[in-house]
Amino acid sequence: MSMPAPAHGAAVAHAPESFWSRYVFSTDHKVIGLQYMFTGMAMALIGGFMAYVFRMQLAFPGQSVPLYGLVTAREYNALITNHGSIMIFWVSMPVLIAGLGNFLIPLMIGCDDMVFPRLNRLSYQIFFVSVVIILISLVVPGGGFGGAWTAYPPLSASAHYNHTPWGAPLWLLAVALEFVAFLLGGINFTVTVMNARAPGMTAMRIPIVVWMIVIASLVFMGSVGPLIAGAVMLFLDQTVGTQFFDPKAGGDPLLWQHLFWFFGHPEVYVVLLPATGVVAEVLTVFARKKLFAYKTILGTAIATGIISFFVWAHHQFVAGIDPRMAHLFTITTLLISIPVAEMLFAFIATLYGGSIEFATPMLWALAFIAEFLIGGVTGIFLGANATDIYLHDTYFVVAHFHYTFFPIAIIGTFAAITYWFPKMFGRRMSETLGKIHFWGTVIPFNLIFIPLFLTGVAGQHRRIYSYENFPQLSTPWLNHLAVIATVALIVMLAFQVVFLVNFFWSMRHGEEVGANPWNANTLEWAAPSPPPHGNFVTMPAVYRGPYEYGVPDRDLDYWPQHVPNQEELPRA
Amino acid sequence: MSSSATTIVAATRPPSAPRIRTAVAGMLIFVGTEIMFFAGLVSAFVIARSHARGWPPPGQPRLPVVATALNTLVLLASGAALASAGRAAATVFGRRRALRRLTGAVLLGAIFVAVQGLEWTRLLAFGLTMRSSQYGSFFYLIVGAHAAHALAAISTLLWARQRLARGDLTADAFTATRVFWYFVVGVWPVLYTVVYLA
Amino acid sequence: MSTDDHSRPASRDDRRRRRPALLATIALTVLGRAAPALACPVCFAADERARASYLDTAVLLSILPLALFAGLALWLWRELDRGRSGPAEPEVAGLSGDRTIR
């Protein structure tokens, strides 16, 4: 039954030679994964700069911002809108799902490429076009779209209201194209994992991160359809002049929220699951211990995916929805914290009794658990409709979802990059710089958002250009908190320079490493670092689960998936 | 000992999992997303209709229920023709029969789209436009989205027909294109019931 | 005396067992008593038919993806079954998808 393994030489012979075919129009999943990752990192810099500009405006209203200048109210709106959109759609999604998924899935399940390589390339190309469009939308006449990343009508539905005749449709077009790109990518991931696994890679031997990316892709594909329908309707409202959402002619603005949040909330779990998968991989390797309750974690991920389709209306408690619906969605929202909490408990149990090594990836993974826990717990207050009516649209909400999204998109990504960097480039990143960067990111992060919890509870609303117009909301205490958050943000952004230096320096000059620098079990570490076109020297077969660390009666404390049970045979 | 161990290892190389049809699996997932897209449109339509005062609004033309019902039968016949093309393709030396039935399916599909287009021109002449009312907006949105899918599906069928005529269409690729057309055929009766009969 | 010893912890257990049911009853009663707060003047939320349609479509949109996933899982199951029980000569059974149609 087993297919003859293709020789390494044959794979290299087929590798494209020219720079363009190798790095720009490649169909190789690793190149596409890195393209997604680098694009996402570049967009993160843009999104971070936007955060810097509008936080400066909030801390020192009306003063010229260094490197930017004076911020007008309209620019402020465009900045917060595009900060949110870019960080969610052009940073979290491409890096966590598309980037990691492309790079890791074929390597971790033991095949040479995705099952639809050309579809994969098309996916990145469409994504790239969406990046160009969103960047263009920032500089067109009228400026970038300023109706918040949720794009609620009637504000978003007509240029009469939002004064961005080009920015709004271009923003919507970019978002829609981005969804098409991830749709193609998601189909690819799912079918690849269904069909291209190495011999012996049974369902219960697939590494958790691969499972997570697949479940996330399925949740994405199940939820994105209604939003695309809503986006088409909103686009027609903006360009053709239909009245789907504009109440002036009988349209229903609540309908957009209905369609938007049907996607918008599962989207949170779409980016959460891959990040938890990364954390699971990193935790076991650096605790040198078997992952606690593999099947339970898988079950909680599936449960999270299922319940995520029943929680979305908790974003509309103050929008005038049916109270019966609000009660139902309160219950489901509180329910979804159960599987997620269970997953975190399993992670903590994995640490218990392990011989923990505090390498940089491990620090990021531990920080993920701690910070995400705060984000999850504060979410309970917003999921309950009674408290949400007070807290809705205050900075409490902003702080809450940054405590979820920052661990997911930034901390999880850094865990992934520092962990798989040796596999990506064949070299190690500096541990010293990595730890400086870690503490320089995590401490300021808490100093940014803990003050915002307080200003939120004090009543400061989000999306307000200047609190000077609201005397009750610009008390000295609240202003101090805003300054603390802004200074912490600047410190955090400054420390990202350490990461960039470390990353690009290590790419060229880092310590060279072999195939398996972390002594890890999963299949990607069986391939050379960096893996050649076609990935493996001999196509691997799988003999056991991915987390056999510290098995008793073995000399080595790890047991790679592809190593046959040779030493058992004579005894048997 | 080591040589005997390696032979045992080679013999116990774990078996590969049985393969599924890649192209078909990919198309099925895509169709699932498309079903959710139309579910979104239908949901929006149902909600908009529920708070409208009079549906269809006074002064707006009524939709051609009977003509479209006949046209629906044409579309269903096209789906049946394609199904029989699929059965012919599964038999040995069934290529020519499959080709004839596939051509029939494409022609019936094209007739459906053409008749829909004719209906649109008549409705436009009667004053039902995208901007004339919510009723018109939703009609053109939903039926137009379906027509766009029908055109896309017909072009994939034409691609499959060309490959089949040349003799290099794989069974999987044919199944995948058929799945997409079955989706276009299958979703139409639902849309017809919601938009025309409500 | 001895029966007392047995019965007292048992009754406490009973009460403990009944507590979730009691809490659920109270919660459901409170939820049922909640009066609608009609906040949005333009969202047709006051219209009972609109509210019902929102509820209906919420149910439709939530259930449909799960049904689709279940369908996909079922298809996968049958597909794998077919692959396992497949005969040695896939050409005859029309199993090999890579074969061209002749």
Side-chain angles (χ1 to χ4, degrees), chain A residues 404-420:
Chain A
T404 57
F405 263 105
F406 190 89
I408 292 168
I410 309 294
I411 294 181
T413 301
F414 281 136
I417 289 178
T418 48
Y419 178 59
W420 278 293

mmCIF file of all heavy atoms in Angstrom, chain A residues 404-420:
data_model
loop_
_atom_site.group_PDB
_atom_site.id
_atom_site.type_symbol
_atom_site.label_atom_id
_atom_site.label_comp_id
_atom_site.label_asym_id
_atom_site.label_seq_id
_atom_site.Cartn_x
_atom_site.Cartn_y
_atom_site.Cartn_z
ATOM 1 N N THR A 404 -8.061 40.141 24.716
ATOM 2 C CA THR A 404 -8.189 38.874 23.998
ATOM 3 C C THR A 404 -7.376 38.910 22.711
ATOM 4 O O THR A 404 -6.648 37.981 22.403
ATOM 5 C CB THR A 404 -9.651 38.552 23.661
ATOM 6 O OG1 THR A 404 -10.183 39.633 22.905
ATOM 7 C CG2 THR A 404 -10.478 38.371 24.900
ATOM 8 N N PHE A 405 -7.510 39.995 21.941
ATOM 9 C CA PHE A 405 -6.855 40.017 20.636
ATOM 10 C C PHE A 405 -5.355 40.167 20.737
ATOM 11 O O PHE A 405 -4.624 39.628 19.918
ATOM 12 C CB PHE A 405 -7.427 41.142 19.760
ATOM 13 C CG PHE A 405 -8.476 40.644 18.827
ATOM 14 C CD1 PHE A 405 -9.817 40.890 19.047
ATOM 15 C CD2 PHE A 405 -8.116 39.888 17.719
ATOM 16 C CE1 PHE A 405 -10.772 40.397 18.188
ATOM 17 C CE2 PHE A 405 -9.072 39.411 16.863
ATOM 18 C CZ PHE A 405 -10.405 39.660 17.100
ATOM 19 N N PHE A 406 -4.871 40.931 21.718
ATOM 20 C CA PHE A 406 -3.423 41.090 21.818
ATOM 21 C C PHE A 406 -2.749 39.752 22.134
ATOM 22 O O PHE A 406 -1.790 39.381 21.443
ATOM 23 C CB PHE A 406 -3.071 42.159 22.852
ATOM 24 C CG PHE A 406 -1.624 42.550 22.841
ATOM 25 C CD1 PHE A 406 -1.177 43.572 22.033
ATOM 26 C CD2 PHE A 406 -0.705 41.884 23.622
ATOM 27 C CE1 PHE A 406 0.155 43.928 22.011
ATOM 28 C CE2 PHE A 406 0.637 42.230 23.603
ATOM 29 C CZ PHE A 406 1.067 43.258 22.790
ATOM 30 N N PRO A 407 -3.224 38.995 23.127
ATOM 31 C CA PRO A 407 -2.629 37.660 23.315
ATOM 32 C C PRO A 407 -2.730 36.804 22.061
ATOM 33 O O PRO A 407 -1.791 36.084 21.717
ATOM 34 C CB PRO A 407 -3.450 37.060 24.460
ATOM 35 C CG PRO A 407 -3.956 38.216 25.202
ATOM 36 C CD PRO A 407 -4.174 39.299 24.203
ATOM 37 N N ILE A 408 -3.868 36.891 21.365
ATOM 38 C CA ILE A 408 -4.031 36.046 20.186
ATOM 39 C C ILE A 408 -3.069 36.477 19.095
ATOM 40 O O ILE A 408 -2.226 35.713 18.631
ATOM 41 C CB ILE A 408 -5.485 36.126 19.671
ATOM 42 C CG1 ILE A 408 -6.444 35.478 20.653
ATOM 43 C CG2 ILE A 408 -5.592 35.492 18.311
ATOM 44 C CD1 ILE A 408 -7.896 35.787 20.352
ATOM 45 N N ALA A 409 -3.220 37.736 18.676
ATOM 46 C CA ALA A 409 -2.569 38.152 17.437
ATOM 47 C C ALA A 409 -1.121 38.540 17.647
ATOM 48 O O ALA A 409 -0.320 38.414 16.736
ATOM 49 C CB ALA A 409 -3.328 39.332 16.823
ATOM 50 N N ILE A 410 -0.755 39.035 18.810
ATOM 51 C CA ILE A 410 0.619 39.495 19.005
ATOM 52 C C ILE A 410 1.395 38.462 19.818
ATOM 53 O O ILE A 410 2.413 37.941 19.365
ATOM 54 C CB ILE A 410 0.639 40.865 19.718
ATOM 55 C CG1 ILE A 410 -0.285 41.840 18.986
ATOM 56 C CG2 ILE A 410 2.054 41.391 19.798
ATOM 57 C CD1 ILE A 410 0.143 42.215 17.604
ATOM 58 N N ILE A 411 0.897 38.131 21.017
ATOM 59 C CA ILE A 411 1.651 37.200 21.861
ATOM 60 C C ILE A 411 1.716 35.826 21.209
ATOM 61 O O ILE A 411 2.783 35.209 21.108
ATOM 62 C CB ILE A 411 1.018 37.136 23.271
ATOM 63 C CG1 ILE A 411 1.175 38.500 23.954
ATOM 64 C CG2 ILE A 411 1.659 36.049 24.102
ATOM 65 C CD1 ILE A 411 0.624 38.575 25.354
ATOM 66 N N GLY A 412 0.588 35.334 20.717
ATOM 67 C CA GLY A 412 0.571 34.031 20.049
ATOM 68 C C GLY A 412 1.475 34.013 18.832
ATOM 69 O O GLY A 412 2.198 33.044 18.580
ATOM 70 N N THR A 413 1.447 35.110 18.071
ATOM 71 C CA THR A 413 2.292 35.174 16.879
ATOM 72 C C THR A 413 3.760 35.176 17.251
ATOM 73 O O THR A 413 4.579 34.510 16.612
ATOM 74 C CB THR A 413 1.955 36.438 16.081
ATOM 75 O OG1 THR A 413 0.576 36.389 15.730
ATOM 76 C CG2 THR A 413 2.789 36.532 14.832
ATOM 77 N N PHE A 414 4.119 35.928 18.302
ATOM 78 C CA PHE A 414 5.522 35.940 18.704
ATOM 79 C C PHE A 414 5.942 34.562 19.212
ATOM 80 O O PHE A 414 7.075 34.122 18.962
ATOM 81 C CB PHE A 414 5.775 37.010 19.762
ATOM 82 C CG PHE A 414 5.895 38.391 19.173
ATOM 83 C CD1 PHE A 414 5.267 39.471 19.766
ATOM 84 C CD2 PHE A 414 6.637 38.612 18.030
ATOM 85 C CE1 PHE A 414 5.370 40.742 19.218
ATOM 86 C CE2 PHE A 414 6.753 39.887 17.479
ATOM 87 C CZ PHE A 414 6.119 40.951 18.082
ATOM 88 N N ALA A 415 5.052 33.874 19.928
ATOM 89 C CA ALA A 415 5.372 32.506 20.345
ATOM 90 C C ALA A 415 5.659 31.658 19.116
ATOM 91 O O ALA A 415 6.648 30.908 19.067
ATOM 92 C CB ALA A 415 4.223 31.910 21.156
ATOM 93 N N ALA A 416 4.814 31.794 18.096
ATOM 94 C CA ALA A 416 4.982 30.984 16.886
ATOM 95 C C ALA A 416 6.264 31.352 16.165
ATOM 96 O O ALA A 416 7.028 30.474 15.739
ATOM 97 C CB ALA A 416 3.781 31.174 15.968
ATOM 98 N N ILE A 417 6.527 32.649 16.014
ATOM 99 C CA ILE A 417 7.703 33.057 15.244
ATOM 100 C C ILE A 417 8.975 32.631 15.963
ATOM 101 O O ILE A 417 9.885 32.058 15.357
ATOM 102 C CB ILE A 417 7.684 34.580 15.016
ATOM 103 C CG1 ILE A 417 6.576 34.929 14.021
ATOM 104 C CG2 ILE A 417 9.032 35.049 14.461
ATOM 105 C CD1 ILE A 417 6.445 36.400 13.762
ATOM 106 N N THR A 418 9.047 32.869 17.277
ATOM 107 C CA THR A 418 10.279 32.510 17.966
ATOM 108 C C THR A 418 10.456 30.993 18.001
ATOM 109 O O THR A 418 11.573 30.506 17.995
ATOM 110 C CB THR A 418 10.299 33.061 19.401
ATOM 111 O OG1 THR A 418 9.050 32.753 20.018
ATOM 112 C CG2 THR A 418 10.489 34.557 19.405
ATOM 113 N N TYR A 419 9.342 30.252 18.005
ATOM 114 C CA TYR A 419 9.449 28.789 18.065
ATOM 115 C C TYR A 419 9.828 28.205 16.704
ATOM 116 O O TYR A 419 10.684 27.329 16.607
ATOM 117 C CB TYR A 419 8.125 28.206 18.564
ATOM 118 C CG TYR A 419 8.085 26.694 18.618
ATOM 119 C CD1 TYR A 419 8.988 25.979 19.389
ATOM 120 C CD2 TYR A 419 7.128 25.986 17.911
ATOM 121 C CE1 TYR A 419 8.949 24.602 19.437
ATOM 122 C CE2 TYR A 419 7.067 24.611 17.968
ATOM 123 C CZ TYR A 419 7.985 23.922 18.731
ATOM 124 O OH TYR A 419 7.937 22.558 18.781
ATOM 125 N N TRP A 420 9.190 28.668 15.624
ATOM 126 C CA TRP A 420 9.428 28.052 14.315
ATOM 127 C C TRP A 420 10.471 28.786 13.489
ATOM 128 O O TRP A 420 10.759 28.375 12.375
ATOM 129 C CB TRP A 420 8.104 27.934 13.538
ATOM 130 C CG TRP A 420 7.333 26.734 13.948
ATOM 131 C CD1 TRP A 420 7.680 25.424 13.736
ATOM 132 C CD2 TRP A 420 6.088 26.701 14.661
ATOM 133 N NE1 TRP A 420 6.731 24.584 14.274
ATOM 134 C CE2 TRP A 420 5.734 25.337 14.845
ATOM 135 C CE3 TRP A 420 5.231 27.668 15.146
ATOM 136 C CZ2 TRP A 420 4.581 24.934 15.496
ATOM 137 C CZ3 TRP A 420 4.083 27.281 15.797
ATOM 138 C CH2 TRP A 420 3.775 25.914 15.974
#
